[in-house]
Amino acid sequence: MNNAESVIRIENIEKIFNPGPNQVRALKGVSFEVFNGEFVSLMGSSGSGKSTLLNILGCLDQPTSGKYYLDGRDVSNLSTSQISRIRNRKFGFVFQSFNLLPKTTALENVELPLIYNTDFSVKERREKAKFALERVGLGDRIFHKTNELSGGQQQRVAIARALVNDPLVIFADEPTGNLDSKTSYQVMSFFQELNDQGKLIVMVTHEPDIMEFTKRKIILKDGSINKDEKLERQLRASEKYDELVAKDETH
Amino acid sequence: MKPIDLLKSALRSINRNRTRSLLTMLGIIIGVGSVIGMMAIGKGSEQSIKGELGKLGTNMIIILPGEERRGGVRMDASTAEILKEKDVEAIETYCTDVEYISPVVTTFAQAVNGSRNSKTPIVGAYSDYFIINNYEVQYGQLFDNRTGKSLQKVCVIGKTVAEDLFENQQDAVGEIIRLNKIPFRVIGVLEEKGRTFGMDRDNIIIAPFRTVQRRMMGVSHANQILAATEDEDQVKRAKREINDLFMGQLNKTSGGEPMFHIQTQKEMMDIMGTITGMLTMLLAAIAGISLIVGGIGIMNIMLVSVTERTREIGLRLAVGAPTSVILLQFLIESIVLSLIGGGIGIMLGYGLAIGAASLLGIEAIITVSSIAMAFGFSFFVGVVFGFFPARKAARLNPIQALRHE
């Protein structure tokens, strides 16, 4: 395989919590490569190490040992400020619990990552945030406070926030975990649309039906990779959404 | 993060919890308010005391009999009678910086005009006495230098005396009044001087030195010698000249110790200034303690705020906020909080000072430096007491912070 092409390459990643007699080996030597345009779901039961792995991939946590190459660059041993910069420029994050700033407008929430990038003027910031909100279909709600939005809308604001810096990778940690089926399909259809446009997405989920919208599944078990396979047939979340809407209407 | 973003974020967060912010600021408000108030009143009273002393003439030098009061007061007769009229001549001859000089005797007498009478202090002095004390004449005239050194029975009376003894003040000029049964002709009525340190400066009769000394008191010494220089900056030199003359040529010593004491009005003012300055500093220091208490209040609330906003901090870190910017964000929040408190405190202190000053009958003096100091202190308090919570925020682990409930 050609190393230059992989966006993410991890080699023998280990993570040990509480070193000592009561140590927990959350990851026991995990290796894989992820390429541009992929849509990966990390799966596994709770305690399998999938969230720990996502945190390491997202540079929110550092591995105990092993190598992590991002875009061909070793990021295993960077300083805190360099890591902040990578998170700010290269990554977008979507969380299960949305993590929006309370009592703040959708626009200001989406602007947040750009605030920490001094390359952008206030005006550029605003325009980029507006554009990202339009992409997730919230162009008409940019001045709504986050607490005035529904759960699905809040998660779309969070997706817009993850998009606004035009990241290399979007990391999503159970993005549909707090949403009902219909809204989950809607959110997944946004992810699929972004992936169609070539965006690399790595998502943690424990719901098999959500996994079916992605292109590749990596299943972790007790800190090691149990299965890593491409999905032959990809379901379209927008179709599932339409089905549900149609069902609602017949009732 | 641009500075404007930091400031906006601080103001928004302060605005979000308005009641809490205000309560937090209260410590700073009271602290700064009392410092400003104390300083304003202190400065005002200092000014007022200096003003009173200034009315007495800042160029004045007073020579008193007696020792420097070391080891208690010891004033035997020989010491009390140490000052003589010829000493005045010696000062006039040898002390070139002394411009005006007069020996002074003081006694009390019953002043009588027909059925009216008044118990009044009588001063015997040369005509320079008027200049040294800034006495001006309202009606009639003052006595001249020659008369001042004579035994003539003339006098100049203060306004209070004129009111006590005469129906109309202007009628006093040319009239004869009796001082301890000795007839004196009134030649002038002095302009009103008002009160200094509560003493009525218009209740006075001034007559030629020898007239009072010999005819009324029957003594051969002077109670004190008053002198004055032309300029304020000559006072120090003049004092030294007099001292040298008295210690040397006139030999007014006893066992090597001086038997006289020289005071200058400037020294008095300096002493008063030092005392009021020290009092002001003391009061301000006590008020400053409340600033520290206010700072602790700010620290407390900032810690609460950091805990409350743990998830927000986690998110900011996750989207790539450098830890230094998180630190700065919370630091600026506490500084802004503290400075707003300081601003309100200055206004409060100003109001208090004006109120208190009008009760005390002095003027409240707010200096630019005290305002700058108040802002400086608020800033300092904000930095010092905001640093610990801000550092706590900056050191949060993003993963744990995001999971915080």
Side-chain angles (χ1 to χ4, degrees):
Chain A
M1 250 182 265
N2 187 350
N3 287 343
E5 281 176 19
S6 63
V7 176
I8 291 171
R9 181 157 62 92
I10 54 171
E11 289 173 0
N12 213 16
I13 291 284
E14 282 197 59
K15 182 70 185 178
I16 296 169
F17 292 111
N18 302 324
N22 298 321
Q23 68 177 28
V24 179
R25 291 182 71 198
L27 294 172
K28 303 167 182 169
V30 177
S31 309
F32 59 71
E33 278 185 291
V34 180
F35 298 87
N36 230 335
E38 283 201 276
F39 192 170
V40 182
S41 41
L42 288 175
M43 296 198 57
S45 54
S46 68
S48 62
K50 59 184 190 302
S51 290
T52 307
L53 183 58
L54 191 80
N55 287 336
I56 289 171
L57 293 177
C59 288
L60 290 166
D61 204 352
Q62 300 211 297
T64 310
S65 66
K67 287 284 178 199
Y68 177 10
Y69 298 94
L70 179 74
D71 226 6
R73 181 184 174 202
D74 184 0
V75 294
S76 328
N77 291 305
L78 294 180
S79 71
T80 341
S81 64
Q82 282 171 313
I83 284 174
S84 296
R85 203 181 155 85
I86 286 177
R87 287 203 298 261
N88 186 240
R89 312 289 155 96
K90 307 269 189 200
F91 297 156
F93 289 96
V94 179
F95 306 94
Q96 178 175 358
S97 48
F98 322 139
N99 279 322
L100 300 177
L101 299 182
K103 296 179 192 168
T104 310
T105 63
L107 189 72
E108 285 168 316
N109 267 284
V110 175
E111 269 185 326
L112 194 68
L114 302 182
I115 281 177
Y116 298 108
N117 184 344
T118 42
D119 295 347
F120 296 111
S121 71
V122 175
K123 203 174 155 231
E124 283 172 313
R125 238 155 61 184
R126 191 137 286 220
E127 272 164 14
K128 275 179 158 286
K130 233 168 163 173
F131 181 65
L133 278 165
E134 277 162 11
R135 271 178 88 177
V136 297
L138 289 174
D140 55 338
R141 287 194 163 72
I142 56 173
F143 294 120
H144 282 236
K145 296 272 169 70
T146 47
N147 45 316
E148 297 163 7
L149 299 172
S150 70
Q153 287 169 335
Q154 288 190 41
Q155 194 59 304
R156 276 147 71 193
V157 172
I159 294 172
R161 184 180 63 200
L163 279 176
V164 76
N165 56 346
D166 193 22
L168 197 61
V169 194
I170 292 179
F171 292 106
D173 190 359
E174 307 252 13
T176 58
N178 282 7
L179 301 173
D180 60 29
S181 305
K182 207 165 99 181
T183 332
S184 296
Y185 294 148
Q186 203 186 13
V187 164
M188 286 315 292
S189 72
F190 279 114
F191 278 131
Q192 283 189 323
E193 228 173 89
L194 289 169
N195 183 243
D196 291 344
Q197 291 157 16
K199 192 66 75 191
L200 169 55
I201 302 168
V202 178
M203 178 178 79
V204 160
T205 182
H206 66 270
E207 296 167 82
D209 62 324
I210 294 296
M211 177 266 290
E212 286 183 59
F213 300 120
T214 65
K215 291 175 176 171
R216 174 183 174 186
K217 61 173 180 186
I218 297 173
I219 300 176
L220 288 170
K221 196 177 175 189
D222 300 329
S224 305
I225 293 180
N226 182 263
K227 209 181 264 178
D228 181 354
E229 60 185 26
K230 289 231 166 357
L231 295 166
E232 293 308 322
R233 208 174 58 87
Q234 203 190 3
L235 291 180
R236 294 304 294 182
S238 53
E239 287 168 19
K240 283 275 201 184
Y241 177 75
D242 291 341
E243 274 174 36
L244 269 189
V245 173
K247 230 195 213 161
D248 282 353
E249 278 166 4
T250 55
H251 279 286
Chain B
M1 211 167 179
K2 297 181 171 67
I4 183 81
D5 293 320
L6 285 167
L7 196 67
K8 253 164 62 184
S9 137
L11 286 173
R12 181 178 304 157
S13 138
I14 289 166
N15 196 33
R16 201 149 41 198
N17 295 301
R18 238 170 287 173
T19 315
R20 192 166 84 183
S21 301
L22 198 71
L23 286 172
T24 308
M25 281 185 237
L26 212 53
I28 296 289
I29 293 173
I30 292 170
V32 168
S34 38
V35 170
I36 289 278
M38 296 293 180
M39 301 250 308
I41 292 166
K43 271 261 182 286
S45 53
E46 189 184 326
Q47 197 87 337
S48 129
I49 290 169
K50 278 196 173 168
E52 297 274 280
L53 286 168
K55 270 198 248 166
L56 297 173
T58 48
N59 305 346
M60 198 194 286
I61 300 167
I62 306 159
I63 306 160
L64 295 164
E67 308 161 61
E68 298 260 5
R69 294 187 173 187
R70 290 192 197 110
V73 187
R74 208 176 66 209
M75 292 257 284
D76 56 50
S78 62
T79 309
E81 289 171 13
I82 200 82
L83 300 176
K84 305 285 185 192
E85 204 177 347
K86 66 174 174 18
D87 300 335
V88 174
E89 284 161 36
I91 293 171
E92 277 181 319
T93 314
Y94 295 107
C95 303
T96 46
D97 282 298
V98 174
E99 189 70 28
Y100 307 104
I101 189 152
S102 166
V104 178
V105 279
T106 316
T107 183
F108 274 91
Q110 205 69 31
V112 182
N113 175 37
S115 59
R116 290 161 173 266
N117 72 91
S118 143
K119 179 114 175 140
T120 308
I122 313 284
V123 169
Y126 291 174
S127 59
D128 276 3
Y129 184 85
F130 299 119
I131 300 167
I132 297 167
N133 281 296
N134 300 326
Y135 277 115
E136 302 278 348
V137 74
Q138 173 110 40
Y139 307 111
Q141 62 189 62
L142 300 171
F143 53 77
D144 59 19
N145 191 31
R146 204 172 49 83
T147 312
K149 289 178 177 172
S150 72
L151 274 162
Q152 289 183 49
K153 287 177 281 179
V154 293
C155 68
V156 175
I157 61 176
K159 200 166 184 291
T160 309
V161 181
E163 277 168 358
D164 284 350
L165 297 184
F166 296 96
E167 200 84 46
N168 291 310
Q169 288 176 47
Q170 49 279 51
D171 295 346
V173 179
E175 294 295 309
I176 303 289
I177 60 171
R178 286 171 184 277
L179 304 177
N180 285 357
K181 293 178 184 141
I182 304 166
F184 279 74
R185 193 159 52 84
V186 178
I187 59 166
V189 178
L190 294 170
E191 251 179 26
E192 191 171 352
K193 285 292 261 185
R195 289 175 169 270
T196 303
F197 297 124
M199 263 164 41
D200 182 4
R201 295 191 71 200
D202 299 314
N203 187 23
I204 192 169
I205 296 176
I206 304 166
F209 177 72
R210 285 176 200 166
T211 312
V212 180
Q213 184 202 30
R214 295 185 190 166
R215 296 210 175 193
M216 294 185 70
M217 295 170 73
V219 295
S220 60
H221 64 274
N223 295 132
Q224 53 174 258
I225 297 171
L226 272 189
T229 59
E230 193 65 55
D231 268 325
E232 206 177 304
D233 42 340
Q234 288 172 286
V235 171
K236 217 171 162 182
R237 217 163 47 223
K239 181 186 169 178
R240 205 171 48 231
E241 285 171 358
I242 296 167
N243 190 62
D244 289 350
L245 180 70
F246 273 39
M247 292 297 285
Q249 207 171 331
L250 299 178
N251 193 24
K252 292 189 183 296
T253 58
S254 160
E257 293 294 316
M259 294 168 76
F260 59 93
H261 182 59
I262 307 170
Q263 272 178 11
T264 67
Q265 203 64 14
K266 219 168 140 20
E267 285 167 351
M268 293 288 282
M269 281 175 75
D270 289 346
I271 290 168
M272 286 305 231
T274 313
I275 292 168
T276 51
M278 271 165 61
L279 271 175
T280 306
M281 286 317 291
L282 187 71
L283 290 171
I286 292 168
I289 291 171
S290 59
L291 264 181
I292 294 173
V293 176
I296 293 168
I298 284 191
M299 179 153 73
N300 191 15
I301 286 301
M302 289 306 295
L303 281 171
V304 170
S305 175
V306 167
T307 308
E308 265 184 1
R309 288 155 68 189
T310 299
R311 280 173 75 107
E312 177 192 324
I313 296 162
L315 174 75
R316 285 177 186 273
L317 288 168
V319 301
T323 50
S324 58
V325 174
I326 297 289
L327 183 103
L328 212 56
Q329 185 192 338
F330 281 89
L331 202 55
I332 284 177
E333 196 173 316
S334 88
I335 291 169
V336 168
L337 202 60
S338 186
L339 283 180
I340 293 174
I344 300 173
I346 288 170
M347 289 188 275
L348 178 83
Y350 194 49
L352 280 178
I354 288 173
S358 75
L359 281 177
L360 294 170
I362 57 169
E363 195 191 349
I365 295 169
I366 310 264
T367 57
V368 177
S369 68
S370 71
I371 288 175
M373 206 172 85
F375 269 123
F377 261 117
S378 314
F379 184 82
F380 183 71
V381 164
V383 171
V384 167
F385 293 97
F387 183 77
F388 177 62
R391 199 184 57 170
K392 192 185 166 201
R395 284 189 174 178
L396 284 174
N397 174 315
I399 301 165
Q400 280 163 14
L402 280 167
R403 283 203 204 114
H404 188 265
E405 288 304 325

